[in-house]
Amino acid sequence: MVNIGYHAAKIQGKFLRSVYKSSLSSLVSFPIAQKRQVPIKVYALSCERDLPEQVASLRSFLRHVGIPKAFTIMSDGSYTEKSMKLLRRVHPCVDVQLLTKFQRDDLPQSVYEYASQQAMGKKLAALMSIPIDEATLYTDSDILFFQGASDLAELAASADLDTYYLPDCKNSLDKRLIYEDIEQQNPINAGFILFKKALDWDESVQRLASLKEPPNYFSEQTIVNLTIKRNHGNALAREKYIMNVDDQFIYSDKFATKQIAMRHYVSDIRHKFWQSVFV
């Protein structure tokens, strides 16, 4: 039996994305009603393919969280000069940098090799290169922010030095990098991380170097999972910071309410991103 609701949502999402994409040149100039300054630096890694999502995510952050000290978008190298200029037009706080110029030059060789092979390796290199000297947020481009995100500003301004992470809804890890069962319990999603201090990546990355076969799509998230746990990170509230795909096969986005802070629209539910852009 055909799931009409699911397929209708997919068609709608594709249509809304095409409309948004075709309107980008004018959309980026629309004023954002926000004056609140937020004591945080934000970083995102994205590519030309995800330009519409990156613009929508960025604008939702500015609208619902506030104006950060800086919002730096790291390009994987595919952004055209035209797209980089377009992103900068969204707000004066926005900068766009090539990852090859942004990333540190003292990372482990295994990380550079991973980055040269796969997109998720580039993400690991990006995360390990982000300078952490104050509250710093990393966010994927397929994340939307909602009215409840205003408390993210308070979390950034709090005096603690903890790392806050998004709990994952399923175990998406490279089991070759897991040495003990406890390490894969309560998995972490690497798409949204609030840093308050620099992390020690050494022990986790040593496992990457020890792999006898090439790293895979989930190796980056596994390294992040291990590193944050070893650095005693704190989970964000699941009911407000949403990483959940339970509504994948229904029409509506059942989690997109004004009360939530954000939702990560991973590939299974990416079409719902466009239902919620206009919430």
Side-chain angles (χ1 to χ4, degrees):
M1 184 175 180
V2 177
N3 186 331
I4 296 176
Y6 169 70
H7 289 288
K10 294 273 285 188
I11 293 170
Q12 181 190 49
K14 185 176 181 179
F15 172 74
L16 291 174
R17 185 183 191 274
S18 68
V19 171
Y20 196 93
K21 183 178 180 180
S22 65
S23 306
L24 280 176
S25 59
S26 56
L27 275 171
V28 295
S29 299
F30 284 5
I32 299 171
Q34 180 60 269
K35 295 182 179 180
R36 180 173 57 241
Q37 302 291 318
V38 184
I40 191 172
K41 292 182 179 178
V42 186
Y43 293 85
L45 174 66
S46 60
C47 60
E48 182 70 27
R49 179 198 63 203
D50 295 335
L51 177 61
E53 285 82 2
Q54 183 61 80
V55 171
S57 178
L58 167 58
R59 287 181 60 86
S60 72
F61 182 94
L62 297 173
R63 178 185 175 193
H64 295 301
V65 182
I67 311 302
K69 291 185 175 181
F71 198 117
T72 302
I73 298 169
M74 298 169 282
S75 167
D76 71 343
S78 62
Y79 270 130
T80 64
E81 190 63 34
K82 178 181 178 182
S83 294
M84 290 192 287
K85 289 181 179 179
L86 184 146
L87 285 165
R88 294 186 183 105
R89 283 172 52 203
V90 174
H91 194 275
C93 73
V94 178
D95 187 23
V96 185
Q97 298 184 25
L98 286 172
L99 176 60
T100 51
K101 295 183 178 180
F102 177 87
Q103 69 183 19
R104 287 167 42 185
D105 58 9
D106 60 348
L107 297 176
Q109 185 59 31
S110 60
V111 176
Y112 291 124
E113 291 174 358
Y114 185 17
S116 70
Q117 298 164 4
Q118 296 189 37
M120 301 314 291
K122 291 181 180 180
K123 182 177 173 182
L124 180 60
L127 287 170
M128 294 181 66
S129 298
I130 293 174
I132 314 293
D133 52 11
E134 58 186 307
T136 302
L137 178 69
Y138 172 80
T139 176
D140 277 354
S141 60
D142 55 355
I143 286 175
L144 282 179
F145 297 86
F146 297 81
Q147 287 187 22
S150 58
D151 70 349
L152 187 58
E154 297 177 11
L155 193 59
S158 63
D160 67 79
L161 293 177
D162 296 332
T163 299
Y164 292 87
Y165 65 85
L166 181 66
D168 213 332
C169 61
K170 56 184 178 180
N171 194 317
S172 301
L173 302 172
D174 181 350
K175 298 300 177 62
R176 299 171 302 168
L177 295 169
I178 299 295
Y179 292 175
E180 300 178 42
D181 183 66
I182 194 172
E183 295 173 343
Q184 61 182 336
Q185 296 176 15
N186 302 313
I188 291 170
N189 182 271
F192 187 83
I193 308 167
L194 176 60
F195 301 94
K196 294 290 195 74
K197 62 180 179 182
L199 302 183
D200 180 359
W201 296 84
D202 290 351
E203 187 174 347
S204 301
V205 173
Q206 284 176 9
R207 298 191 186 187
L208 182 67
S210 299
L211 281 178
K212 296 181 179 179
E213 298 176 345
N216 62 32
Y217 184 86
F218 296 115
S219 300
E220 169 266 338
Q221 181 148 284
T222 310
I223 296 297
V224 172
N225 175 76
L226 293 169
T227 299
I228 291 179
K229 286 179 177 176
R230 285 199 169 82
N231 286 266
H232 308 291
N234 290 333
L236 293 162
R238 288 179 179 271
E239 67 276 8
K240 197 161 189 178
Y241 293 83
I242 309 297
M243 175 64 213
N244 195 314
V245 296
D246 286 351
D247 59 348
Q248 177 181 357
F249 297 111
I250 64 174
Y251 173 78
S252 62
D253 183 340
K254 74 175 188 178
F255 295 101
T257 67
K258 294 180 179 181
Q259 287 71 41
I260 70 169
M262 51 74 70
R263 185 176 188 186
H264 192 179
Y265 290 89
V266 292
S267 57
D268 291 345
I269 54 167
R270 184 68 51 79
H271 56 285
K272 291 181 183 291
F273 181 101
W274 297 103
Q275 289 184 359
S276 303
V277 163
F278 307 101
V279 170

